């Protein structure tokens, strides 16, 4: 299985790039799943299809899914009920299962858990992940490493805490330990997948503007500092030359940032996508797919 991860700040075109990539791989005979990891799902609008919590057929070899965070939160809470009871009740902190996904940082853990299921089931040749904005991507990429460390420490206290929890409720402590071990296994599995370039490709999507370039540079440095390699960069909304004064200034400004990107990231694949002049969705995705892959700008 190949995991293709689209990352970047909000509004730069990650969902369009994800949908176009899924279309391209499916048209080339790869059974593909477009997986939305952004709570503000937009794949359904871009693909012009009703997409739900279960993989929905879009075209030949192409499926898409938009996991419902509230429903996933309840299932996730039920899977680790003993662990979360131990953590929350210890601090006299009450969280309803249906609200669990709103706890900071938990949404990323829930989506990782769902992605783990997809990864282990192995039903697809390619899974294209439409990520949340940058602010949520970083915790997700750090999560396996952080979770593994926390879980290891909890297991180190097994002899101390298991007995105490079992005194509160027969078998409670043993259930906590089992759930902690299961969570560690999942976190380590996804961590290993993320750092393996034979499995995972990460593309950072940006637009040629100062703030976007700076934020994307920070994202790439942070991701790669955690051992996860960024394979490619997609520069979106590149304007075509125009004689009017406004457009000429914009084109010149974009050219400067594009050259900066090419210089700083000369070791990465860099693809340029034009400004298409209208919202890209449905049939328009085919042109984006051709611009990205048929012209040889990117390889998967």
């Amino acid at each position: 299985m190949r995991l293709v991860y689209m990352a970047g700040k909000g509004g730069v075109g990650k969902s369009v790039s994800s949908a176009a990539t899924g279309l391209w791989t499916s048209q080339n005979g790869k059974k593909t799943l477009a997986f939305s990891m952004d709570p503000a799902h937009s794949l359904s609008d871009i693909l012009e299809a009703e997409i739900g919590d279960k993989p929905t057929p879009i075209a030949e070899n192409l499926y898409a899914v938009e996991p419902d965070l509230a429903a996933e939160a309840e299932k996730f809470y039920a899977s680790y009920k003993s662990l979360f009871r131990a953590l929350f009740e210890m601090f006299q902190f009450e969280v309803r299962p249906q609200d669990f996904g709103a706890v900071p940082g938990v949404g990323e853990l829930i989506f990782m858990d769902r992605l783990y299921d997809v990864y282990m089931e192995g039903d697809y040749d390619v899974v294209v992940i439409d990520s949340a904005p940058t602010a949520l991507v970083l915790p997700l990429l750090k999560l396996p490493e952080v979770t593994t460390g926390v879980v290891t420490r909890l297991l180190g206290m097994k002899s101390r805490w298991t007995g105490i929890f079992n005194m509160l409720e027969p078998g409670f402590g043993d259930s906590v330990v089992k759930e902690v071990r299961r969570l560690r296994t999942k976190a380590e599995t996804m961590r290993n997948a993320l750092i393996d370039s034979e499995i995972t490709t990460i593309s950072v999507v940006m637009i040629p503007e100062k703030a976007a370039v700076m934020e994307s540079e920070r994202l790439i440095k942070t991701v790669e500092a955690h051992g996860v390699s960024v394979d490619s960069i997609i520069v979106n909304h590149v304007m075509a030359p125009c004689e009017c004064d406004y457009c000429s200034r914009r084109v010149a400004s974009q050219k400067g940032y594009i050259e900066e990107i090419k210089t700083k990231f000369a070791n990465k694949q860099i693809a340029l996508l034009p400004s298409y002049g209208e919202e890209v969705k449905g049939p328009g995705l085919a042109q984006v797919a051709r611009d990205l892959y048929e012209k040889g700008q990117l390889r998967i």
Side-chain angles (χ1 to χ4, degrees), residues 1-67:
M1 179 183 290
R2 189 77 173 159
L3 302 178
V4 182
Y5 200 105
M6 295 292 173
K9 64 176 293 186
V12 296
K14 295 190 304 296
S15 296
V16 169
S17 298
S18 298
T21 298
L23 182 64
W24 175 256
T25 56
S26 66
Q27 288 176 342
N28 282 270
K30 304 292 186 182
K31 187 178 180 182
T32 301
L33 176 68
F35 182 102
S36 175
M37 198 173 274
D38 188 345
H41 300 304
S42 55
L43 278 179
S44 53
D45 294 332
I46 291 168
L47 290 168
E48 295 186 326
E50 291 293 329
I51 300 172
D53 189 56
K54 304 296 182 183
T56 302
I58 303 298
E60 185 177 2
N61 291 324
L62 179 60
Y63 301 79
V65 63
E66 293 182 332

